[in-house]
Amino acid sequence: MRRTALLATVTAIVAGALVWPAARPADAAPATFVHPGVTVSRGQLDFARTQVNAGAQPWKGAYDQMLASKYADLNRTPKPRATVECGSYSNPNYGCTDEREDAIAAYTDALAWYITRDDRYAKKSIALMDAWSAVIKDHTNSNAPLQTGWAGSSWTKAAEIIKYTYTGTWTNSGRFATMLRDVYLPKVINGSNSNGNWELTMMEAAVGISVFLEDKTSYDKAMAKFRTRTAAYVYLSTDGAVPKTVPSQNLDTTAKIVNYWQGQSTFVTGLTQETCRDFVHTGYGISSISHVAETSRIQGQDLYGTDVGERLRQALGFQSKYQLGTAVPSWLCGGSLTLGLGPVTEVGYNALHNRLGIAMTNTQTLTQQNRPAGSNNLFVAWETLTHGDNPS
């Protein structure tokens, strides 16, 4: 019987009746989610804590900067509201700044808890998350998707650390999860056809929420949109004569693509869709690319080894060069750039240079020059502390 069964199995394989499981795609949801696993891992937290407690630089300076910020204030009063209304450039601003900064504060307190083991910080982080999960129902007006992405990115980083490392109790963690599922995820998961930093930030939030909720379907959907958008955001010469596009945007002529790329018609490796707009928004896009790649790495996949890593490397290098003062050629953005990249280089630099050994001279110079990297007061915070030269 055993020999007969084995023969039948072999015959079926040869005949193609049985198919071995395909290798899991580099961006597919893991079989089991890793926690804490949104942008920063337990190993990275442990490394940062060890360095801070040893008084080592740049981590001690980065920690002191964080603790001295308004976000670490234990007397902070949360300002939740049922409807956060954000127009273009946050005008009107009904709860937009309050929500983003309360979310960054929750993350800041979670980091402070992990490093100090001072319960007051964990409890403050929980109080901020609880205040919003008890009240918020919707985001409205034109900037709602972006606002939801910004706040959602910080909320999930805070929640991951508290839920999976705090030794006390978080009674309302289920309510917080419901808030993410019902209020945040629907607003970001379907993406955006606006400038690329919007969809990248929205997918960052969607991926983080999916990890916290252990929602494999949403994780896969968000990752697919992220991969398509990243390819359409950073140009590589291997893409061809013009950049890749997002199908739903119907950028089906060179003229349309040039217009979408802020009028830039000469495409070179490392240029982004928003380089000629300004470096501030470009920095948002680069930051979200690095955050999603880092989350994916923690979850067991390596997007750094795909075109995502190459696009991130080239975008960092190209923008860093000009941020450092290289003269702008006439063919690039009409010979004029609006600088201001922001504190966005640590995660990608650490992953690509320190972990993978890739030379990144300009990015290294800019990263070290800007240490300790603080917060952009939107969704980026304390990345010298969490990722600066962090081998974990």
Side-chain angles (χ1 to χ4, degrees):
M1 288 292 289
R2 185 176 299 166
R3 182 178 297 172
T4 302
L6 178 61
L7 180 61
T9 300
V10 172
T11 303
I13 292 172
V14 172
L18 291 178
V19 179
W20 296 117
R24 185 158 53 95
D27 52 2
T32 303
F33 284 99
V34 175
H35 303 289
V38 176
T39 307
V40 60
S41 68
R42 187 183 293 268
Q44 289 170 321
L45 291 167
D46 285 340
F47 175 82
R49 182 172 188 248
T50 297
Q51 298 305 109
V52 170
N53 288 339
Q57 299 297 352
W59 306 276
K60 180 62 165 64
Y63 171 74
D64 290 343
Q65 174 197 43
M66 180 185 80
L67 218 60
S69 75
K70 62 183 178 181
Y71 297 114
D73 182 3
L74 289 170
N75 295 312
R76 183 182 189 87
T77 301
K79 298 177 181 177
R81 59 173 69 208
T83 301
V84 174
E85 182 181 353
C86 306
S88 181
Y89 292 94
S90 293
N91 182 24
N93 182 339
Y94 298 129
C96 315
T97 302
D98 292 338
E99 180 189 29
R100 293 194 304 264
E101 295 194 350
D102 277 350
I104 292 173
Y107 176 51
T108 300
D109 289 328
L111 288 174
W113 139 254
Y114 198 90
I115 289 169
T116 65
R117 292 303 196 268
D118 183 337
D119 268 21
R120 295 177 302 162
Y121 288 108
K123 289 175 179 176
K124 191 64 183 182
S125 182
I126 289 170
L128 290 161
M129 291 188 283
D130 283 354
W132 280 88
S133 70
V135 173
I136 191 167
K137 299 298 181 187
D138 198 12
H139 297 87
T140 63
N141 214 318
S142 59
N143 258 33
L146 181 60
Q147 170 73 20
T148 308
W150 281 336
S153 297
S154 297
W155 285 135
T156 52
K157 287 185 288 188
E160 279 282 301
I161 293 172
I162 294 298
K163 183 173 180 179
Y164 292 100
T165 74
Y166 179 47
T167 50
T169 56
W170 181 13
T171 305
N172 292 312
S173 63
R175 187 178 73 194
F176 185 84
T178 298
M179 176 192 81
L180 293 179
R181 183 181 295 107
D182 295 348
V183 179
Y184 287 79
L185 188 58
K187 197 73 75 175
V188 297
I189 191 63
N190 292 317
S192 165
N193 288 326
S194 185
N195 281 300
N197 81 87
W198 276 50
E199 187 163 79
L200 289 167
T201 298
M202 291 162 68
M203 291 311 105
E204 177 186 344
V207 167
I209 291 168
S210 298
V211 170
F212 186 75
L213 298 179
E214 300 197 325
D215 181 341
K216 294 183 180 182
T217 300
S218 294
Y219 185 97
D220 287 345
K221 181 176 181 177
M223 274 294 185
K225 284 188 173 294
F226 167 76
R227 292 294 298 271
T228 299
R229 176 59 70 176
T230 299
Y233 194 71
V234 182
Y235 177 78
L236 298 178
S237 61
T238 51
D239 293 338
V242 295
K244 293 179 178 291
T245 63
V246 174
S248 60
Q249 293 191 263
N250 299 311
L251 300 174
D252 51 8
T253 68
T254 298
K256 288 181 181 178
I257 293 171
V258 168
N259 181 64
Y260 185 59
W261 281 61
Q262 323 295 328
Q264 177 70 12
S265 57
T266 301
F267 301 104
V268 297
T269 293
L271 183 79
T272 81
Q273 181 256 313
E274 295 186 273
T275 297
C276 293
R277 180 187 185 188
D278 59 60
F279 273 27
V280 174
H281 289 88
T282 298
Y284 300 165
I286 290 173
S287 181
S288 286
I289 292 171
S290 67
H291 291 168
V292 175
E294 193 70 357
T295 295
S296 178
R297 183 189 70 86
I298 295 166
Q299 296 305 324
Q301 298 89 34
D302 181 15
L303 288 184
Y304 291 116
T306 71
D307 77 297
V308 171
E310 180 63 8
R311 292 178 197 278
L312 177 59
R313 178 174 81 90
Q314 297 292 352
L316 282 168
F318 186 86
Q319 267 63 220
S320 293
K321 177 174 67 173
Y322 293 107
Q323 184 67 41
L324 288 168
T326 295
V328 184
S330 59
W331 57 262
L332 177 61
C333 310
S336 178
L337 292 169
T338 302
L339 303 179
L341 195 60
V344 302
T345 64
E346 288 279 17
V347 176
Y349 169 72
N350 186 56
L352 295 164
H353 176 72
N354 293 330
R355 201 176 288 129
L356 298 182
I358 300 170
M360 299 174 70
T361 307
N362 289 318
T363 306
Q364 180 173 6
T365 299
L366 183 63
T367 300
Q368 293 175 347
Q369 179 179 296
N370 287 344
R371 284 178 173 170
S375 175
N376 71 354
N377 304 309
L378 297 173
F379 70 107
V380 179
W382 323 127
E383 293 181 351
T384 297
L385 175 62
T386 57
H387 291 81
D389 300 334
N390 192 321
S392 298

